[in-house]
C-alpha cells in the first residue's frame, strides 16, 4: 500500500516522537531506568563462608560466633559454612554452648551445653580436663554463663587462651575460641559486661558477634 506524502510525514513524526520518548526513558529522566544503569549496576556482594566479608587463606577455618540475646534468642556457632550450634538445630541451652573441633582436620568432635545457673559444675570439668592437644574450643554464652564457674573451670579456660573468663560475671555476654596447648592468649574473644546503665535488654547486655579465620595446626609428630 502506497502512503501519500502527507501521511508519510505524519508517520515519520510519530516514529521520531516515539524514539525520543524511548531514549529519554532509557538514558535519562527522573526516576527512569537507564540502559547504562542496567549494564553498570553494582554486583551483589559475594558471600563467603559463615558470612565473612572476605575469604580465609588456605589451611584456615572460617568461623562466626554469636552469643545469645538475653534469654530469648539462642547462640550460634558456624564453622566452614556449617552451623554447629543453633536454635534451629535444637542443640543450644542456657549457660555455655561449646563445640570441640579437631585443630588439624577441622572435623567437629562434639557439641555440648552446660547450665551455669542451676547445672552440675562437675560436668563441665569432666568435659574440659581430658581435651587433647590441638583441640579447638568454640564457646558462646546464652543467658547466664558465669554463676556456677569456679576457680578450676576458669583456670581451664585460661589455659585454652582466655583472658576474659577471669572476670566473667552473672549474665555477661561472652564469645571465645581457644585451643588446648595454645602458647599465647587467644586473639578471638569478646566479653560484654552486664551493666544496668548500658544493657541493651532489660537485665542483659547486647549480643556479641565475632568472626575470623583460624589456622589449622600441622599434624602432631608421633
Amino acid at each position: 500500500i502506497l502512503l501519500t506524502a502527507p501521511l508519510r510525514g505524519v508517520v515519520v513524526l510519530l516514529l521520531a516522537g516515539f524514539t525520543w520518548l524511548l531514549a529519554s526513558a532509557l538514558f535519562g529522566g527522573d526516576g527512569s531506568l537507564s540502559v547504562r544503569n542496567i549494564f553498570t549496576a553494582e554486583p551483589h556482594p559475594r558471600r563467603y563462608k559463615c558470612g565473612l566479608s572476605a575469604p580465609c587463606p588456605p589451611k584456615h577455618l572460617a568461623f562466626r560466633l554469636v552469643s545469645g540475646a538475653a534469654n530469648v534468642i539462642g547462640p550460634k556457632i558456624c564453622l566452614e559454612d556449617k552451623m554447629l550450634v543453633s536454635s534451629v538445630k535444637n542443640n543450644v541451652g542456657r549457660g555455655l554452648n561449646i563445640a570441640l573441633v579437631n585443630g588439624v582436620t577441622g572435623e567437629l568432635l562434639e557439641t555440648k551445653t552446660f547450665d551455669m545457673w542451676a547445672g552440675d559444675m562437675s560436668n563441665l570439668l569432666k568435659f574440659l580436663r581430658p581435651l587433647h592437644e590441638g583441640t579447638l574450643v568454640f564457646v558462646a554464652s546464652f543467658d547466664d554463663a558465669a554463676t556456677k564457674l569456679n576457680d578450676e573451670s576458669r583456670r581451664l579456660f585460661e589455659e585454652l587462651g582466655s583472658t576474659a573468663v577471669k572476670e566473667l560475671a552473672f549474665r555477661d555476654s561472652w564469645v571465645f575460641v581457644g585451643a588446648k596447648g595454645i602458647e599465647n592468649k587467644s586473639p578471638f574473644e569478646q566479653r560484654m559486661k552486664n551493666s544496668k546503665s548500658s544493657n541493651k535488654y532489660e537485665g542483659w547486655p547486647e549480643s556479641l558477634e565475632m568472626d575470623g579465620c583460624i589456622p589449622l595446626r600441622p599434624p602432631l609428630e608421633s
Side-chain angles (χ1 to χ4, degrees), residues 45-219:
R46 184 172 177 181
R47 184 189 177 281
Y48 298 101
K49 291 178 180 178
C50 291
L52 270 65
S53 59
C56 289
K59 297 184 179 180
H60 283 66
L61 300 174
F63 78 90
R64 180 182 297 274
L65 296 179
V66 183
S67 67
N71 61 348
V72 179
I73 302 175
K76 296 178 182 178
I77 299 178
C78 175
L79 183 70
E80 284 294 284
D81 229 21
K82 295 179 181 178
M83 198 62 69
L84 307 184
V85 172
S86 71
S87 296
V88 173
K89 292 182 69 70
N90 197 31
N91 63 348
V92 303
R94 176 176 64 181
L96 297 174
N97 294 261
I98 302 178
L100 302 182
V101 172
N102 186 311
V104 176
T105 65
E107 176 189 4
L108 174 65
L109 302 175
E110 188 176 3
T111 64
K112 206 159 187 178
T113 65
F114 299 91
D115 188 342
M116 293 290 101
W117 173 254
D120 186 347
M121 189 65 229
S122 65
N123 292 331
L124 178 62
L125 297 176
K126 292 175 183 177
F127 185 75
L128 295 177
R129 285 170 182 158
L131 293 181
H132 295 293
E133 188 85 1
T135 300
L136 297 173
V137 182
F138 296 79
V139 184
S141 66
F142 185 24
D143 190 4
D144 174 35
T147 295
K148 285 278 186 174
L149 286 178
N150 57 18
D151 290 343
E152 182 181 1
S153 59
R154 292 177 190 271
R155 178 181 57 78
L156 289 171
F157 279 116
E158 286 179 342
E159 291 175 356
L160 296 173
S162 172
T163 55
V165 71
K166 190 173 183 179
E167 305 295 331
L168 194 66
F170 174 66
R171 284 185 178 174
D172 288 354
S173 292
W174 185 41
V175 287
F176 166 66
V177 183
K180 181 69 173 181
I182 189 171
E183 295 181 359
N184 301 306
K185 297 304 179 183
S186 172
F188 302 115
E189 183 173 32
Q190 293 181 20
R191 172 196 171 213
M192 179 66 70
K193 184 175 177 56
N194 171 24
S195 172
K196 290 183 179 180
S197 62
S198 61
N199 281 349
K200 182 174 182 179
Y201 312 104
E202 185 177 354
W204 290 269
E206 66 179 303
S207 174
L208 292 174
E209 186 168 337
M210 178 177 69
D211 59 34
C213 304
I214 300 175
L216 287 168
R217 290 178 58 118

